């Protein structure tokens, strides 16, 4: 593992690699900077945005073909599109009627969608014709839109006449093809499957309902755990992940369980429970400071910001997992801190990684073939970020320290010290080519290159 120098950035959520993996975009005040992903010292473009109020740039998104990049300032009601190849080309989008709350690319990389405040409408702007503008009424901005993998159709969450709907739109004409009524109280999100055959939509946190719809608009199943057994009624879906094949759907709930549904009956083939004791045969990795017990190391790590050298020990099963009672954050009323906060399949679909809020120091890796833990990893600090490589089953995670952790099946856990001890890795972003990942800390970032 090799690390680049540290470079400035001011919003970790806006750092993005281009889909072709050539560039990495970062924001510094009102400037958008494109750096070479292989040599970050080399700056490809610097775009100066004319947004007048801070925060200047609130959204950054690459087009799917990596030819354009979008920036948005919702505070000033403006969206800009910049060309990567032509520095003089620029497109400004301003909605004179309604304030823009959200902006995103269409799959064809030639249309931009803006969602108006109060869920009034979605505006579709064309980059090819200045006067070509389409409008779609009654969107649910929070639930958003999802595109078919080949970009030919868009699924949009909508609400009118006191009912939730999924609208299927042709992205060539932007005309409604099918409207599907879904039995939800407050549709919270939707996602198209990787194979393009199904759409899943889920309800608000207080109600556990997941609706699976096929491309013909037929509702295949309305999944409610309470219908399976009376004692299996969860609070709601918090996270959702499709397997790369589209044949499995993992629903992470606020009840600390992950239910894995199959594509034939859309019933659970397994319910993954994060138990306080690991009783099955699995690799249990426990991080300890060198020369200290686990309790001593935890106290030392929390009491000081200095670098601590640690290692992973293999623990025998049964092994006890550290439990932390989640605290309600009054500043995050939209998302209570409970349940499964992370669910993601590996690139080959053979492994599933999860993190539960009541066990923030523990990362679970499940083997899909048996639906049993392949590895359970306990860290000294709470896990702040976790993501799979987009090309191979390599799992990287961070705990807000100057350390990068990497797990790979049959190779165990590896610990890499980031050269600067002042870095507190709070977020990770993989390059789409899988050869590197960005380590994001407050105000700075570094790129780690996979050399093994």
């Amino acid at each position: 593992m090799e690390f680049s120098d540290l470079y400035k950035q001011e919003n970790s959520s806006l750092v993005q690699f281009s889909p072709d993996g050539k560039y990495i975009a970062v924001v510094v005040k009102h400037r958008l900077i494109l750096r070479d992903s292989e040599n970050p010292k080399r700056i490809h473009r610097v775009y100066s945005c004319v947004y007048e109020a801070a925060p200047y740039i609130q959204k950054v998104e690459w087009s799917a073909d990596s030819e354009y990049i979008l920036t948005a300032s919702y505070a000033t009601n403006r969206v800009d599109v910049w060309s990567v190849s032509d520095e003089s080309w620029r497109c400004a989008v301003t909605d004179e009627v309604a304030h823009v709350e959200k902006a995103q690319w269409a799959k064809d990389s030639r249309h931009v969608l803006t969602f108006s405040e109060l869920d009034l409408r979605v505006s579709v702007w064309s980059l090819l014709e200045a006067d070509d503008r389409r409008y779609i009424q009654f969107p649910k901005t929070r639930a958003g839109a999802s595109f078919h993998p080949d970009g030919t159709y868009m699924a949009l969450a909508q609400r009118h006449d006191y009912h939730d709907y999924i609208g299927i739109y042709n992205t060539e004409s932007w005309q409604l093809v099918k409207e599907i009524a879904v039995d939800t109280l407050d549709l919270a999100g939707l996602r198209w499957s990787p194979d393009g055959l199904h759409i899943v939509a889920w309800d608000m946190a207080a109600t556990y309902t997941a609706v699976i719809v096929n491309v013909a608009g037929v509702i295949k199943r309305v999944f409610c755990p309470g219908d399976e057994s009376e004692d299996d009624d969860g609070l709601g879906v918090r996270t959702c992940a499709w397997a790369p094949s589209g044949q499995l759907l993992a629903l992470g709930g606020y009840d600390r369980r992950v239910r894995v549904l199959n594509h034939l009956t859309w019933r659970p083939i397994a319910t993954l429970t994060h138990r306080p004791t690991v009783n099955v045969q699995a690799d249990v990795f426990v991080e300890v400071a060198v020369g200290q017990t686990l309790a001593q190391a935890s106290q030392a790590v929390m009491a000081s910001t200095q670098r601590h050298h640690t290692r992973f020990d293999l623990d025998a099963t049964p092994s006890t997992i550290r439990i932390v009672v989640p605290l309600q954050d009054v500043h995050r009323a939209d998302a209570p801190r409970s349940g499964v906060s992370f669910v993601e399949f590996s690139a080959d679909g053979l492994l599933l990684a999860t993190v539960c809020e009541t066990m923030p120091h523990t990362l679970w890796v499940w083997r899909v073939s048996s639906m049993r833990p392949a590895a359970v990893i306990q860290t000294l600090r709470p896990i702040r970020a976790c993501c799979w490589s987009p090309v191979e089953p390599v799992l990287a995670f961070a705990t807000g320290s100057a350390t990068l952790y990497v797990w790979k099946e049959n190779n165990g856990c590896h610990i890499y010290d980031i050269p600067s001890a002042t870095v507190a890795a709070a977020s990770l972003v993989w390059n789409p080519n899988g050869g590197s990942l960005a380590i994001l800390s407050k105000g700075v970032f570094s790129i780690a290159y996979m050399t093994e």
Side-chain angles (χ1 to χ4, degrees):
M1 183 78 69
E2 295 181 356
F3 296 88
S4 71
D5 295 333
L6 296 181
Y7 299 94
K8 190 174 182 180
Q9 59 86 19
E10 293 192 349
N11 190 331
S12 297
S13 64
L14 302 182
V15 177
Q16 288 191 12
F17 284 98
S18 60
D20 61 9
K22 292 182 179 180
Y23 306 108
I24 182 169
V26 299
V27 169
V28 179
K29 292 186 178 180
H30 64 281
R31 296 186 299 275
L32 174 67
I33 303 173
L34 302 188
R35 294 181 179 271
D36 190 306
S37 63
E38 295 299 322
N39 182 11
K41 290 182 179 180
R42 185 182 303 143
I43 296 178
H44 179 70
R45 290 276 188 269
V46 177
Y47 304 104
S48 182
C49 304
V50 293
Y51 309 142
E52 299 176 354
Y56 300 102
I57 301 176
Q58 297 172 273
K59 173 69 177 287
V60 172
E61 185 178 349
W62 286 90
S63 62
D65 62 1
S66 301
E67 290 292 325
Y68 301 95
I69 189 166
L70 174 151
T71 61
S73 173
Y74 304 131
T76 58
N77 194 34
R78 177 164 174 152
V79 178
D80 288 286
V81 178
W82 313 84
S83 172
V84 176
S85 58
D86 185 357
E87 192 173 7
S88 63
W89 188 94
R90 174 183 174 188
C91 175
V93 175
T94 304
D95 195 329
E96 302 87 357
V97 177
H99 196 86
V100 175
E101 279 192 347
K102 180 181 178 181
Q104 72 176 85
W105 280 103
K107 200 79 170 180
D108 64 357
S109 302
R110 297 299 179 267
H111 289 85
V112 174
L113 278 62
T114 59
F115 293 73
S116 303
E117 63 180 348
L118 304 177
D119 293 342
L120 294 178
R121 69 185 186 188
V122 176
S123 302
V124 183
W125 311 77
S126 173
L127 301 186
L128 303 178
E129 299 180 25
D131 297 330
D132 185 5
R133 189 186 310 178
R134 309 295 177 89
Y135 301 105
I136 302 174
Q137 290 185 306
F138 314 122
K140 296 196 71 171
T141 303
R142 184 171 63 90
S146 180
F147 287 88
H148 190 279
D150 65 11
T152 53
Y153 295 98
M154 175 185 73
L156 177 68
Q158 296 179 278
R159 185 176 182 87
H160 58 85
D161 300 326
Y162 311 103
H163 206 285
D164 289 336
Y165 295 87
I166 299 175
I168 308 298
Y169 291 83
N170 185 310
T171 56
E172 185 174 347
S173 63
W174 298 102
Q175 297 296 316
L176 180 66
V177 176
K178 184 78 174 181
E179 187 175 62
I180 308 156
V182 291
D183 189 18
T184 54
L185 297 178
D186 184 10
L187 184 61
L190 52 80
R191 190 169 299 170
W192 217 301
S193 65
D195 59 5
L197 298 180
H198 297 90
I199 303 168
V200 61
W202 58 93
D203 209 342
M204 59 187 291
T207 306
Y208 202 120
T209 301
V211 182
I212 295 92
V213 183
N214 67 9
V215 290
V218 178
I219 297 179
K220 302 296 291 184
R221 183 164 178 79
V222 179
F223 174 68
C224 301
D227 297 340
E228 304 293 327
S229 62
E230 291 298 327
D231 61 346
D232 199 27
D233 196 0
L235 291 174
V237 177
R238 179 172 178 180
T239 52
C240 169
W242 285 101
S245 63
Q247 297 182 358
L248 294 176
L249 174 64
L251 302 174
Y254 284 98
D255 60 351
R256 305 184 299 278
R257 300 176 183 175
V258 178
R259 296 170 175 86
V260 182
L261 280 59
N262 72 87
H263 74 296
L264 297 177
T265 64
W266 298 110
R267 295 181 182 274
I269 60 172
T271 299
L272 310 181
T273 304
H274 300 84
R275 302 184 185 279
T277 303
V278 181
N279 291 313
V280 297
Q281 189 68 29
D283 293 334
V284 180
F285 298 93
V286 179
E287 185 186 16
V288 297
V290 177
Q292 295 179 334
T293 65
L294 180 60
Q296 292 171 337
S298 299
Q299 295 175 358
V301 167
M302 296 305 174
S304 173
T305 58
Q306 297 179 358
R307 187 191 295 276
H308 292 268
H309 295 287
T310 63
R311 70 167 187 265
F312 277 108
D313 289 344
L314 270 174
D315 196 17
T317 55
S319 177
T320 303
I321 304 298
R322 181 180 177 185
I323 305 294
V324 176
V325 178
L327 299 176
Q328 186 71 30
D329 190 342
V330 297
H331 300 293
R332 293 178 57 199
D334 61 324
R337 293 188 60 188
S338 63
V340 180
S341 59
F342 175 80
V343 173
E344 188 176 332
F345 284 92
S346 60
D348 58 8
L350 301 180
L351 298 167
L352 176 68
T354 64
V355 176
C356 183
E357 287 278 10
T358 54
M359 305 173 184
H361 299 258
T362 306
L363 174 62
W364 300 70
V365 182
W366 309 80
R367 187 170 286 108
V368 173
S369 59
S370 61
M371 291 299 170
R372 292 179 177 273
V376 180
I377 306 165
Q378 298 187 65
T379 57
L380 293 176
R381 294 173 181 262
I383 295 171
R384 300 283 300 277
C386 180
C387 51
W388 287 101
S389 165
V391 298
E392 59 179 334
V394 174
L395 186 62
F397 53 103
T399 62
S401 63
T403 304
L404 174 67
Y405 303 87
V406 176
W407 177 88
K408 187 175 183 179
E409 191 172 17
N410 300 325
N411 286 348
C413 279
H414 295 267
I415 300 176
Y416 299 95
D417 289 334
I418 303 170
S420 175
T422 60
V423 171
S427 184
L428 302 173
V429 180
W430 276 99
N431 190 319
N433 63 26
S436 61
L437 74 160
I439 304 169
L440 311 177
S441 180
K442 184 177 181 181
V444 296
F445 78 97
S446 175
I447 298 181
Y449 298 93
M450 308 297 289
T451 57
E452 299 178 358

